[in-house]
């Protein structure tokens, strides 16, 4: 079995609800604590989007998992948003929220927080409604394929990408991490933007019965991978995980945020 096949097999046990409980409720999702990692992530995304430099027709989120927080700011600047994940269980979780079905995860604390950050003057319910209107589809994705979205979305047609905690969590080694970044970058138009968040120096994480391997990456590794994939790095920030947030669900040491722009083909 190839490395990629063994990663795929390990994901068959991935439990979205357990994953959400591990990372997206307190203490990691503590909106009363300025220093919490969730506030840091949302602030990084909101500030980049507030520059007005990121916008267009189509935004694609690569490896959404069962979460939507990552597109709360960027979605305001695009006509259409596409969510993607490798697993049907995650795509089903996303559709449950999009269709406001019973049992869907409650993202309202996140939408309320981002609504306040952005200060658009409308209600968080209006923001939530806009997001549900703009997310047009939830597609399968495999970042290890030369064309990660298959025939659904062609190369060079996407105005911006978001990808959070995905590439390092599904790449068996650094070579595959670099290659996966190259594969998703092909989707972007020249001049298109990438908002990229991931785990620093993480080697595993838990999601219910599943224990998933992660290729540990550092700031330097990520910076080099972005440069190799023909990006100009516009912003790079790191968050050091405080001991109070090391809760046993992974061995992550920090989180990176990168805003990068694909350079025009030479
Ligand atoms: N071949 C593939 N192509 C695309 N996606 C794929 C593929 N295989 C699996 N996937 C997809 O990738 C996965 C994305 S979830 C990955 C979770 N990453 C680790 C976890 C995340 C996390 C979150 C928050 C915080 N924090 O401090 O706030 C820390 C951490 C650190 N631990 C999953 O959706 C799977 O379905």
């Amino acid at each position: 079995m190839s490395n990629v096949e063994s990663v795929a097999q390990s994901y068959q046990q991935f439990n979205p609800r357990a994953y959400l409980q591990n990372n997206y409720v307190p203490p990691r999702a503590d909106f009363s604590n300025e220093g919490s990692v969730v506030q840091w992530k949302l602030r990084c995304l909101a500030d980049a989007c507030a520059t007005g430099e990121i916008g267009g027709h189509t935004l694609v989120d690569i490896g959404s998992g069962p979460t939507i927080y990552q597109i709360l700011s960027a979605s305001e600047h695009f006509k259409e948003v596409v969510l993607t994940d490798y697993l049907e269980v995650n795509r089903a979780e996303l559709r449950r929220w999009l269709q406001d079905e019973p049992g869907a995860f409650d993202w309202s604390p996140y939408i309320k927080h981002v609504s306040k950050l952005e200060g658009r003057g409308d209600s968080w319910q209006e923001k939530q409604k806009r997001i549900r209107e703009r997310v047009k589809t939830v597609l399968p994705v495999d970042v290890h394929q030369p064309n990660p979205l298959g025939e659904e979305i062609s190369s060079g047609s996407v105005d911006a990408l978001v990808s959070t905690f995905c590439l390092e969590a599904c790449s068996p080694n650094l070579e595959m991490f670099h290659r996966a970044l190259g594969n998703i970058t092909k989707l972007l138009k020249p001049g298109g933007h990438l908002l990229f968040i991931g785990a620093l120096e993480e080697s595993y994480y838990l999601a219910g019965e599943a224990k998933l391997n992660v290729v540990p990456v550092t700031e330097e590794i990520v910076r080099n991978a972005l440069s190799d994939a023909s990006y100009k790095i516009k912003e790079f920030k790191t968050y050091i995980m405080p001991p109070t947030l090391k809760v046993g669900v992974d061995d992550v040491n920090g989180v990176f945020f990168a805003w990068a722009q694909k350079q025009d083909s030479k």
Side-chain angles (χ1 to χ4, degrees), residues 19 24 37 41 65 85-86 90 142-143 165 170 202 241 250:
Y19 175 70
Y24 295 101
V37 61
K41 292 189 288 187
D85 199 70
Y86 182 74
N90 284 333
D142 182 349
V143 297
F165 296 112
C170 65
E202 179 177 52
M241 197 63 75
D250 52 42

Side-chain angles (χ1 to χ4, degrees), residues 4 7-8 11 14 19 22-24 28-29 37-38 41 62-66 69 84-90 141-145 148 164-171 198-199 202 204-206 214 239 241 245 249-252 254-255:
V4 170
V7 170
Y11 269 101
F14 183 94
Y19 175 70
N22 291 348
N23 295 292
Y24 295 101
R28 284 186 170 182
V37 61
V38 71
K41 292 189 288 187
I62 298 290
S64 306
Y69 73 94
T84 72
D85 199 70
Y86 182 74
L87 296 174
E88 172 50 30
V89 286
N90 284 333
V141 65
D142 182 349
V143 297
H144 299 309
Q145 298 303 318
T164 56
F165 296 112
C166 175
L167 297 194
E168 72 279 4
C170 65
S171 298
E202 179 177 52
Y204 81 91
Y205 76 100
L206 305 177
V214 180
Y239 175 90
M241 197 63 75
L245 295 185
V249 298
D250 52 42
D251 62 351
V252 68
V255 179

Side-chain angles (χ1 to χ4, degrees), residues 53-249:
E53 293 180 49
I54 303 170
H57 184 272
T58 309
L59 168 72
V60 175
D61 178 31
I62 298 290
S64 306
T67 70
I68 59 113
Y69 73 94
Q70 63 272 16
I71 55 100
L72 293 181
S73 287
S75 60
E76 296 286 4
H77 302 274
F78 294 87
K79 289 188 176 45
E80 295 196 1
V81 179
V82 176
L83 301 179
T84 72
D85 199 70
Y86 182 74
L87 296 174
E88 172 50 30
V89 286
N90 284 333
R91 298 194 297 267
E93 195 67 44
L94 294 170
R95 285 192 288 266
R96 228 185 315 277
W97 183 83
L98 290 168
Q99 288 146 23
D100 198 11
E101 288 173 1
F105 188 77
D106 177 14
W107 291 106
S108 63
Y110 294 74
I111 301 170
K112 289 172 185 168
H113 183 79
V114 175
S115 203
K116 275 195 210 113
L117 282 183
E118 293 174 344
R120 293 171 172 276
D122 59 3
S123 70
W124 69 268
Q125 292 94 334
E126 283 164 329
K127 183 176 180 71
Q128 178 173 263
K129 183 167 175 286
R130 271 200 303 279
I131 291 161
R132 284 179 164 141
E133 286 164 354
R134 284 184 186 160
V135 176
K136 298 299 181 195
T137 183
V138 182
L139 296 179
V141 65
D142 182 349
V143 297
H144 299 309
Q145 298 303 318
N147 197 348
L149 294 168
E151 301 312 312
E152 296 279 353
I153 294 186
S154 46
S155 297
S157 66
V158 174
D159 295 288
L161 294 175
V162 170
S163 188
T164 56
F165 296 112
C166 175
L167 297 194
E168 72 279 4
C170 65
S171 298
N173 54 52
L174 287 179
E175 184 193 347
M176 297 297 287
F177 175 82
H178 271 80
R179 202 177 299 170
L181 181 59
N183 291 339
I184 67 171
T185 302
K186 288 205 301 282
L187 295 165
L188 262 184
K189 291 176 182 173
H193 294 267
L194 166 66
L195 297 174
F196 192 23
I197 291 181
L200 288 171
E201 297 165 352
E202 179 177 52
S203 70
Y204 81 91
Y205 76 100
L206 305 177
E209 293 306 304
K211 177 177 182 184
L212 294 310
N213 293 323
V214 180
V215 62
V217 297
T218 62
E219 175 173 348
E220 185 186 10
I221 288 169
V222 176
R223 283 179 178 275
N224 290 340
L226 287 166
S227 302
D228 290 351
S230 307
Y231 285 100
K232 172 175 173 276
I233 298 174
K234 295 180 70 80
E235 192 160 53
F236 198 107
K237 297 180 184 174
T238 59
Y239 175 90
I240 307 299
M241 197 63 75
T244 50
L245 295 185
K246 293 189 175 182
V247 294
V249 298

